[in-house]
Amino acid sequence: MWLLFALLSAVFAALTSILAKVGIDGVNSNLATAIRTVVVVIMAWGMVFLTHAQGGLATISRKSWIFLILSGLATGASWLCYYYALQIGDASKVVPIDKLSVVITLILAFLFLHEEFTAKSLIGCVLIGAGTLLMVV
């Protein structure tokens, strides 16, 4: 089941890029990011209430709050940079560079989460990096 949702995530991420590139035409990138964020907030809280998950708010630990807030700040910074890059650059160049986050995530997961970094992971990172370079140059 995780694979299905991972694939759906990739499809929606691709749609996000294309829809954003069309929608950002003539709109300040920060304003566009704010509009997108409001839509995401409404959708996320809608799912919380639809699934009756709001009761879990009281059980969230201090550590989880801190890291969820930091994650939100990182997401916001990522979106602001992404929308500005989309506004001034070609989607076909911006998106592959943005996907270098896969490589960076694997490295950070190895360093901070002590997840296994296998030969397969290393080869994948090299291929993603080389593919990104090939697409951008």
Side-chain angles (χ1 to χ4, degrees):
M1 186 60 93
W2 67 266
L3 182 58
L4 172 64
F5 282 98
L7 289 171
L8 286 172
S9 174
V11 169
F12 288 124
L15 286 171
T16 297
S17 302
I18 300 304
L19 297 170
K21 182 63 178 175
V22 174
I24 204 167
D25 187 36
V27 179
N28 176 280
S29 64
N30 294 326
L31 178 59
T33 303
I35 292 167
R36 173 190 181 189
T37 303
V38 168
V39 172
V40 171
V41 166
I42 291 168
M43 187 175 167
W45 279 105
M47 287 304 297
V48 166
F49 288 108
L50 184 68
T51 61
H52 306 289
Q54 66 272 20
L57 276 171
T59 64
I60 298 174
S61 71
R62 178 180 165 94
K63 175 186 172 188
S64 289
W65 273 111
I66 290 169
F67 281 92
L68 289 172
I69 290 167
L70 290 172
S71 175
L73 291 170
T75 298
S78 172
W79 288 1
L80 289 168
C81 293
Y82 182 73
Y83 264 57
Y84 187 67
L86 268 182
Q87 188 170 52
I88 62 175
D90 295 334
S92 60
K93 291 191 167 104
V94 171
V95 173
I97 293 171
D98 178 65
K99 297 310 170 201
L100 281 176
S101 63
V102 172
V103 174
I104 296 166
T105 299
L106 288 173
I107 293 167
L108 293 176
F110 172 74
L111 292 174
F112 296 108
L113 302 177
H114 309 291
E115 291 186 4
E116 188 177 355
F117 200 76
T118 63
K120 186 168 58 171
S121 300
L122 180 61
I123 292 167
C125 284
V126 169
L127 290 174
I128 291 170
T132 300
L133 186 63
L134 184 65
M135 291 178 76
V136 174
V137 172

